[in-house]
Amino acid sequence: MSTVSAVLIFRRFTTKRLKAFSLVELAIALVIIGLLIGGVLKGQELLESARLKTIITQLNQYRLATNTFVDRYGALPGDYDKASSYLKAGLKDGNNNGIIEGFGLSSSGGAASHEALSFWEHLAAAELLPNNTPPTTKLGGVVTIAHAPLDGMQGHWFIIGSANGNKNDASLLTPLQCLTIAKKLDTEDPFSGNVQMRNGVQKGKGGQCLKDNKILNTATKDPACVLYVKL
């Protein structure tokens, strides 16, 4: 057998062996990739769950701070008419009518329209919260407070959304995120109870938060909702 023939036979033999071995490697690689993707997706789910739990913790903290303030001073934060005297000089006093007035992101308007902003300033001055501005969430946006923000919503409500002028009603949460929070705090009905959802002001992304029959449109994966939680 010539040297050339021997080389050709060796190459053909080793090529077959390499092809067979590469298939095994490919199979192993696919398994590893699948495990990695599964791990990443699970990690994202855990991170998402942690962020939503943080929002719930925030809301409970604000409720506790508000109740403590009322017990201590006999008035709602923001609406307290002696804040500049008993809390901190320079604070704006409320009119003490039992209503936190204003839209939450601006003090312009009537004489008491600052109260929704002053709500956080009064709580911070009373050392019940660390910051004197509307707090952010782990999902972005901010938390504001408003009295009767929409038709049918009586009393005071925390609003979890994004800025839209002087209001906080631009889309922030996905319908599924709202559903998760609502089920932990109250019921999943968007139009009843102490936790409600509405369509946010749209920015050209995704669909609406709610379907025409007023149930959550969980097929929408983009931020489309504003969450309202009663104080």
Side-chain angles (χ1 to χ4, degrees):
M1 180 183 294
S2 67
T3 302
V4 174
S5 298
V7 169
L8 290 174
I9 293 172
F10 176 77
R11 285 180 177 175
R12 190 177 300 115
F13 177 73
T14 54
T15 299
K16 289 181 178 180
R17 290 188 62 191
L18 286 173
K19 285 183 179 179
F21 187 69
S22 65
L23 289 175
V24 174
E25 284 186 321
L26 180 60
I28 294 174
L30 289 174
V31 171
I32 293 174
I33 290 172
L35 292 173
L36 289 174
I37 292 175
V40 169
L41 292 176
K42 187 63 177 177
Q44 290 176 338
E45 290 179 7
L46 292 174
L47 182 59
E48 172 84 345
S49 177
R51 287 171 174 168
L52 296 178
K53 286 179 180 178
T54 298
I55 292 176
I56 294 173
T57 300
Q58 283 181 264
L59 294 171
N60 288 332
Q61 180 186 9
Y62 305 152
R63 280 174 170 160
L64 177 60
T66 302
N67 290 333
T68 301
F69 189 99
V70 172
D71 288 341
R72 185 183 298 174
Y73 300 104
L76 286 165
D79 189 46
Y80 185 35
D81 61 348
K82 296 181 177 63
S84 61
S85 299
Y86 292 146
L87 294 178
K88 181 180 178 181
L91 286 178
K92 292 183 178 180
D93 294 325
N95 59 15
N96 202 30
N97 66 350
I99 296 175
I100 301 172
E101 300 177 43
F103 292 113
L105 294 176
S106 173
S107 59
S108 61
S113 62
H114 68 87
E115 291 184 353
L117 272 178
S118 295
F119 173 85
W120 307 103
E121 295 175 352
H122 289 189
L123 287 173
E127 298 183 347
L128 294 172
L129 287 181
N131 300 312
N132 62 359
T133 57
T136 59
T137 79
K138 291 293 185 181
L139 296 174
V142 293
V143 180
T144 57
I145 191 165
H147 180 264
L150 296 172
D151 291 340
M153 290 185 179
Q154 302 302 315
H156 293 92
W157 295 74
F158 290 115
I159 305 172
I160 300 92
S162 297
N164 171 42
N166 60 2
K167 296 183 178 181
N168 192 33
D169 59 358
S171 303
L172 176 66
L173 304 171
T174 68
L176 189 57
Q177 288 170 337
C178 284
L179 179 63
T180 301
I181 294 175
K183 290 179 73 173
K184 291 183 181 298
L185 292 177
D186 197 50
T187 68
E188 60 188 70
D189 183 355
F191 284 83
S192 69
N194 295 326
V195 180
Q196 299 189 26
M197 292 74 80
R198 296 292 190 274
N199 291 322
V201 176
Q202 299 302 307
K203 302 296 183 182
K205 293 182 179 179
Q208 295 288 317
C209 175
L210 303 171
K211 297 180 181 179
D212 292 337
N213 55 356
K214 296 184 178 182
I215 65 172
L216 283 167
N217 182 20
T218 54
T220 297
K221 305 304 179 184
D222 293 316
C225 308
V226 178
L227 187 68
Y228 296 82
V229 180
K230 198 165 189 179
L231 173 63

